[in-house]
């Protein structure tokens, strides 16, 4: 267990993962659930355990739409999307640079992309 | 500062009747030692302790003042110690602001069941005050013992 | 001149082994005012007490200091001894030289020194002790119960049984409360109405019980043993004394489209109505928001059909004033409103209902006569999803932070009843935790799973979407199999959190009782005084104090009744004389003391004072009701001018102790 | 501005809305202004003054005045309205008996600051476009207005009138002030440095009671320091302890009620920065129990007569800042 990484996620996300009461409403509400290897509630639980390595290497990181449905619905105010975001940032920073610059996004857009994905992409990559 | 081994501080402890005074009794019942420097004054509730009493103690020669009350939420009068907590926090902050040594004042929550805690708190407090030496910053010279 | 006697106890060797008791008696004999200073083997023994009594008489003592064990042990013993020798008991002070001296110190010299100092402090204090007399205040032998649900009914019945008059104030037209709306009760599955309605009738027929239905408490004055309460009897436009409850008016009333609150708005009633068949009192009430006669003066059918002439359109609110010795609060609970939970589609889909609505849907006296039908199209539901913890255990402003306690059990009950009555129905229960502590509770829940094949799924529902075909898509997570589910449901039942009734907070203000941040009444002690409020004479019954099921509610209701009876049995109450008092000449009238008083013992009044320049001035000054004050002293420190002081622990007494210790 | 006030005051007197007017009165010199009650239009014409020197907070006088027959007109600067509200909240001022006109406040100037420049024999001071023309018996001197601004106005907290029946001039807003800077500086000193600082200040106290008598929060019928029964009464400080005692207790008694009007320091003949003690309490209350401005309203619970079950423990005092 990497304590520094856990602390870093705690700080960057601003989320207290110990508030989770394991109801799973985040995962129940998640539109990307089926795409994900680890689901929102697992993110919260695994970060709480400090079991972050598998998350860093999981495709789930990039499947989160950052639609904030889980944040909106969580009865305990845990804000899972922010945890996922923090893990994602950890992964991105680990590799030394930002993989996607805002300038590159216009070229990558295609017409079938949902509007929300575009907005959330900006939210994701302009940190 | 030079620690004077022979310095015996005067410690005044205000204890609420329902929890801390009973806690002090319990540490007696269990024969748990703490220094004889500590003299207890019984008050109905920690919220009865007026800042005037604390200053008065320092004036008359006390070297340390400690207030003990029921744990927050357990007050016999339901809310007394919550008021105590605010008042005493502000008072201690003011004394600190005026440059009075921090370890001369303390507030502790001791329940009627915590005889051991009472003794431990008093041992620690007396030791801390001993390290500070006699109260010189908030004394009344006229009351100084020769 | 004070004449003080000092009595130093050996307590066998308990004190004498580490404290030189003779030296203590000798040292204290030189203190100012001390005329006699003695030591004795066992001061608390019969002969020890005789010694004190004789000294009081012989030396004409004005104060007594006993150096012995903790005052928590024998203060009362010595106070009684002093009183029997003719000395005011509050002129006795104890110096604790056992628990706080001989038992904790090993060095005889330092223990003796400390004992002397503790003795000196007690002598210094007793110099300033004033004789105090415990006041007495009479007890009015009548109780008020606020709220006529099962809690209020049980409390009233128990108090009446003990031989005291008791009034129930109920804001609705009938007593019965939430239990009257419930279909079956867990874990026995007996019919709620069958066990409640006899109690309602019993209450109405008991000659010691007066029911003020459709009434509210509008003002409370006074204190323990002597409350004066103003009750507002809301205009029901029907003369209660004449109405026979025949129901003819309700049949003939042309205004038939009024949402029926007893059936949770699932069907309609008339503008003049009797909430349900077994209502007590069985008296009609006219709803002024819908009655055409009251709104625009056109109709008057009910008045025409009423054979006893009970209809009175001119009726107005009436106020009655009554004195009570004790008040029991039984204001109960309500399910929270769910309109903020968009994800459950409660507001937009009629087939998403709360559990209390389901109770009515399943009740034989309910809108469907006991057949479970979907509210939207009146068809049988085949798949029903229950969602637990809706609004309970929530950390946000939409819900409540606490567990509502009853939902796990009633959901198991609903699931079981549905499976029993309609075995072709699939029932899913989404839970976070199943909490079933209680006699036969877990067995009950297991029966739902094992015998009735209710599908319990660990996980929460995330989204409920009504579909065009009338079905409802329920998207949820199954945390144990780690998958997201979609259930094609016919009905969704939400276990809404429960909250205290909205009338509780203004009532708490009137009663000067405390509430927690969730508006539940706070008990005087969470473990040892669970049915009393911190304010003397106010007792708590049922869910107004916290979420409770029926057995617990009834248990607490009877406990509150027992406490109230204990009070009403007394002819008068002795007050603790160590109470606060205000020096009116110094009081600024700033209200600081009033705001910190946990008992509402301090009131303000305008008084006329003669000023030094012979003019008169009207000033607002505090006065303490000694019957209500418990003597904590919070007010004495809040008071900047020092006008407020505490008997027995006055500013000067405590400072005298401080001085003696620091000298 | 003075003309507008006089005009309105006379109107209100004439139409019987009020029977007295509370304002400021000329002294021997223009800079020498005193709060005063006017009963007639003539008195107002003769003596009423409102200028850069009218600093005094009038609220405290209204305790007595609002208990007299008839209604009184009070002209309140923004900072005075806070004290006024606080006194209404404490039932000291009878609100119905006061007609409040909000008037623009400072910055006011402090004659002592001008005198400190070595300027003597002052007969009149004029503010010409933020340059002070100081007429003295020796001739005219000038100095920038802002160098003479009084201490209490230097860190003005609000230009907003929190209570009024009408306004003359424009209302303002709550300001971001730097009023806690000095408190913070002291907090960052060592305990010994703080002790030395306060001994240096408080040892000058001559117990003239000016701070207490001017303070709109110190309104006790009988002050504990004048009451022989209180056990702490003292006429003059006989020892350094008593110097401390007086100011600690005074600050504690006004804690949560002090509106930070700054009058205590303004009137101190020994220039002791007494407002720092009050600001220390205000700062602590703000950080520990949430922002609270005494006098901002008449209904909120005062921090010392209120509590939260999750309030911090007093040990925070011992854990923060320099030892």
């Amino acid at each position: 267990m990497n304590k520094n990484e856990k602390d870093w996620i705690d700080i960057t996300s601003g989320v207290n993962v110990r508030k989770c009461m394991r109801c799973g409403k985040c995962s129940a509400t998640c539109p990307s659930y089926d795409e994900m290897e680890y689901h929102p509630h697992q993110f919260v639980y695994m970060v709480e355990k400090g079991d972050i390595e598998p998350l860093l290497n999981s495709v789930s990181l990039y499947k989160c739409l950052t639609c904030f449905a889980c944040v909106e619905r969580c009865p305990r105010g845990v804000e899972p999307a922010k945890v996922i975001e923090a893990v994602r940032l950890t992964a991105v920073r680990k590799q030394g640079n930002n993989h996607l610059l805002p300038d590159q996004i216009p070229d990558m857009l295609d017409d079938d992309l949902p509007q929300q994905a575009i907005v959330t992409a900006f939210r994701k990559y302009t940190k | 500062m030079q620690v004077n081994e022979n310095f015996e501080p005067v410690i005044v402890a205000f204890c609420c009747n329902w929890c801390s005074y009973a806690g002090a009794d319990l540490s007696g019942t269990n024969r748990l030692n703490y220094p004889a420097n500590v003299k207890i004054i019984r008050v109905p509730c920690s919220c009865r302790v007026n800042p005037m009493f604390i200053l008065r103690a320092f004036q008359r020669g006390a070297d340390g003042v400690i207030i003990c009350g029921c744990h927050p939420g357990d007050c016999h009068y339901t809310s007394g110690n919550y008021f105590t907590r605010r008042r005493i926090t502000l008072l201690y902050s003011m004394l600190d602001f005026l440059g009075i040594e921090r370890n001369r004042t303390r507030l502790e929550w001791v329940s009627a069941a915590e005889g051991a805690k009472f003794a431990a708190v008093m041992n620690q407090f007396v030791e801390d005050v001993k390290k500070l030496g006699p109260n010189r910053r908030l004394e009344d010279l006229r009351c100084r013992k020769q | 001149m004070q004449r003080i006697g000092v009595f130093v106890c050996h307590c066998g060797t308990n004190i004498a082994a580490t404290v030189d008791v003779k030296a203590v008696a000798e040292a204290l004999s030189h203190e100012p005012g001390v005329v006699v200073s003695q030591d004795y083997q066992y001061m608390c023994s019969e002969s020890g007490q005789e010694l004190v009594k004789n000294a009081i008489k012989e030396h004409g003592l004005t104060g007594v200091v006993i150096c012995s064990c903790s005052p928590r042990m024998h203060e009362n013993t010595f106070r009684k001894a002093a009183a029997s020798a003719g000395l005011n008991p509050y002129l006795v002070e104890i110096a604790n030289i056992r628990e706080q001296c001989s038992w904790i110190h090993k060095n005889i010299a330092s223990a003796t020194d400390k004992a002397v100092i503790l003795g000196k402090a007690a002598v210094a204090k007793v110099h300033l002790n004033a004789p105090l007399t415990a006041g007495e205040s009479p007890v009015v032998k009548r109780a008020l119960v606020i709220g006529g649900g099962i809690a209020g009914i049980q409390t009233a019945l128990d108090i009446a049984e003990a031989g005291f008059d008791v009034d129930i104030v109920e804001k609705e037209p009938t007593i019965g409360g939430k239990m009257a709306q419930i279909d079956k009760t867990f874990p026995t599955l007996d019919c709620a109405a069958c066990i409640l309605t006899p109690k309602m009738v019993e209450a109405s027929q008991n000659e010691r019980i007066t029911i003020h239905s459709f009434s509210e408490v509008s003002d409370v004055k006074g204190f323990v043993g002597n409350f004066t309460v103003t009750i507002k009897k809301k205009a029901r436009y029907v003369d209660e004394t004449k109405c026979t409850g025949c129901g003819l008016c309700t049949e003939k009333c042309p205004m038939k489209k009024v949402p029926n609150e007893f059936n949770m708005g699932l069907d309609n009633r008339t503008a003049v109505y009797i909430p349900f068949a077994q209502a007590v009192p069985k008296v009609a009430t006219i709803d002024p928001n819908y009655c055409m006669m009251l709104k625009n003066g056109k109709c008057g059918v009910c008045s025409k059909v009423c054979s006893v002439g009970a209809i009175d359109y001119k009726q107005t609110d009436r106020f009655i004033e009554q004195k009570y010795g004790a008040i029991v609060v039984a204001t109960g609970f309500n399910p929270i409103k769910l309109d903020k939970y968009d994800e459950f589609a409660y507001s937009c889909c009629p087939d998403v209902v709360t559990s209390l609505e389901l109770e009515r849907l399943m009740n034989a006296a309910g809108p469907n006569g006991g057949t479970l039908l979907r509210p939207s199209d009146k068809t049988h539901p085949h798949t029903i999803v229950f969602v637990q913890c809706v609004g309970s255990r929530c950390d946000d402003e939409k819900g409540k932070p606490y567990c509502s306690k009853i939902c796990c059990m009633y959901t198991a009950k609903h699931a079981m009843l549905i499976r029993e009555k309609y075995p072709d129905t699939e029932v899913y229960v989404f839970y976070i935790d199943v909490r079933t502590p209680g006699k036969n509770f877990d067995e009950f829940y297991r029966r739902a799973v094992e015998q009735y094949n209710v599908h319990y799924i660990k996980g929460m529902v995330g989204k409920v979407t009504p579909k065009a075909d009338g079905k409802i898509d329920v998207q949820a997570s199954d945390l144990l199999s780690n998958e997201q589910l979609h259930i094609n449901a016919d009905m969704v039942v939400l276990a809404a959190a429960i909250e205290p009734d909205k009338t509780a907070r203004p009532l708490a203000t009137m009663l000067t009782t405390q509430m927690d941040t969730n508006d539940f009444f706070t008990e005087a002690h969470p473990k040892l005084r669970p049915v009393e409020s911190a304010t003397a004479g106010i007792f708590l019954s049922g869910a107004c104090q916290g979420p409770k099921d029926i057995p617990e509610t009834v248990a607490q209701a009877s406990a509150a009744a027992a406490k109230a009876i204990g009070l009403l049995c007394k002819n008068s109450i002795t007050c603790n004389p160590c109470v606060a008092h205000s020096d009116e000449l110094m009081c600024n009238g700033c209200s600081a003391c009033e705001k910190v008083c946990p008992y509402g013992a301090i009131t303000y009044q305008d008084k006329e004072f003669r000023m030094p320049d012979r003019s008169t001035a009207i000033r607002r000054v505090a006065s303490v009701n000694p019957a209500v004050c418990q003597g904590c002293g919070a007010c004495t420190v809040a008071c900047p001018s020092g006008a407020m002081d505490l008997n027995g622990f006055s500013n000067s007494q405590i400072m005298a102790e401080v001085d003696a210790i620091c000298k | 501005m003075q003309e507008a006030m006089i005009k309105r005051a006379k109107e209100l007197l004439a139409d019987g809305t009020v029977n007295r007017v509370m304002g400021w009165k000329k002294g021997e010199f223009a800079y020498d202004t005193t709060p005063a009650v006017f009963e007639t239009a003539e008195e107002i014409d003769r003596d009423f003054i409102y200028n850069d020197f009218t600093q005094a907070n009038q609220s405290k006088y209204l305790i007595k005045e609002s208990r007299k027959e008839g209604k009184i007109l009070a002209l309140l600067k923004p900072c005075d309205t806070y004290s006024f509200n606080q006194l209404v909240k404490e039932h000291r001022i009878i609100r119905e008996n006061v007609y409040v006109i909000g008037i623009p406040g400072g910055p006011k100037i402090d004659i002592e600051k001008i005198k400190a420049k070595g300027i003597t024999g002052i007969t009149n001071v004029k503010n010409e476009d933020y340059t002070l023309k100081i007429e003295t018996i020796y001739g005219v001197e000038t100095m920038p207005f802002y160098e003479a601004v009084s201490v209490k106005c230097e860190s003005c907290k609000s230009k907003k009138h929190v209570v009024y029946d009408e306004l003359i001039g424009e209302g303002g807003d709550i300001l971001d002030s730097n009023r806690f800077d000095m408190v913070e500086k002291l907090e960052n000193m060592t305990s010994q440095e703080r002790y030395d600082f306060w001994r240096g200040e408080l040892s000058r106290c001559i117990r003239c009671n000016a701070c207490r008598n001017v303070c709109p929060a110190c309104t006790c019928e009988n002050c504990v320091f004048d009451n022989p029964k209180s056990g702490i009464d003292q006429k003059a400080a006989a020892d350094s302890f008593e110097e401390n005692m007086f100011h600690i207790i005074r600050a504690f008694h006004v804690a949560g009620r002090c509106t930070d009007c700054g009058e205590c320091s303004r009137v101190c003949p020994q220039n002791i920065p007494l407002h720092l003690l009050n600001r220390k309490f205000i700062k602590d209350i703000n950080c520990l129990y949430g922002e609270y401005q005494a006098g901002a309203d008449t209904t909120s619970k005062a921090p010392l007569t209120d509590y939260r079950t999750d309030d911090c423990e007093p040990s925070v005092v011992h854990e923060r800042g320099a030892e």
Side-chain angles (χ1 to χ4, degrees), chain C residues 441-486:
Chain C
F441 281 15
D442 204 61
E443 295 92 319
F444 183 79
Y445 150 60
R446 290 313 305 166
R447 227 163 71 218
V449 176
E450 293 164 23
Q451 287 177 23
Y452 289 91
N453 289 324
V454 177
H455 307 297
Y456 268 78
I457 301 173
K458 162 121 182 111
M460 191 62 183
V461 168
K463 205 173 173 189
V464 173
T465 321
K467 294 195 297 189
D469 63 357
K471 292 270 192 177
I472 305 167
D473 176 54
V474 178
Q475 179 182 326
S477 68
D478 180 338
L479 290 176
L480 296 181
S481 65
N482 203 8
E483 58 185 336
Q484 197 176 56
L485 304 174
H486 283 269

Side-chain angles (χ1 to χ4, degrees), chain B residues 70-76 78-79 81-82 85, chain C residues 524-527, chain D residues 309:
Chain B
C70 310
H71 285 268
D74 292 348
C75 178
H76 178 77
T78 58
S79 56
N81 52 6
Y82 290 126
R85 186 159 62 177
Chain C
H525 189 284
K527 286 106 199 170
Chain D
T309 53

Side-chain angles (χ1 to χ4, degrees), chain B residues 102-143:
Chain B
R102 290 174 175 183
N103 287 339
R104 287 200 194 283
T105 50
R106 192 164 298 175
L107 176 90
E108 288 285 345
W109 310 124
V110 180
S111 80
E114 294 175 327
K117 180 177 178 186
F118 187 85
V121 162
M122 291 305 157
N123 279 314
Q124 184 62 49
F125 187 56
V126 172
E127 195 178 306
D128 290 349
V129 174
K130 272 191 178 174
K131 279 186 203 148
L132 290 173
N135 164 32
R136 290 288 176 255
R137 292 187 188 170
L138 198 60
E139 70 168 345
D140 192 325
L141 269 175
R142 296 169 298 172
C143 302

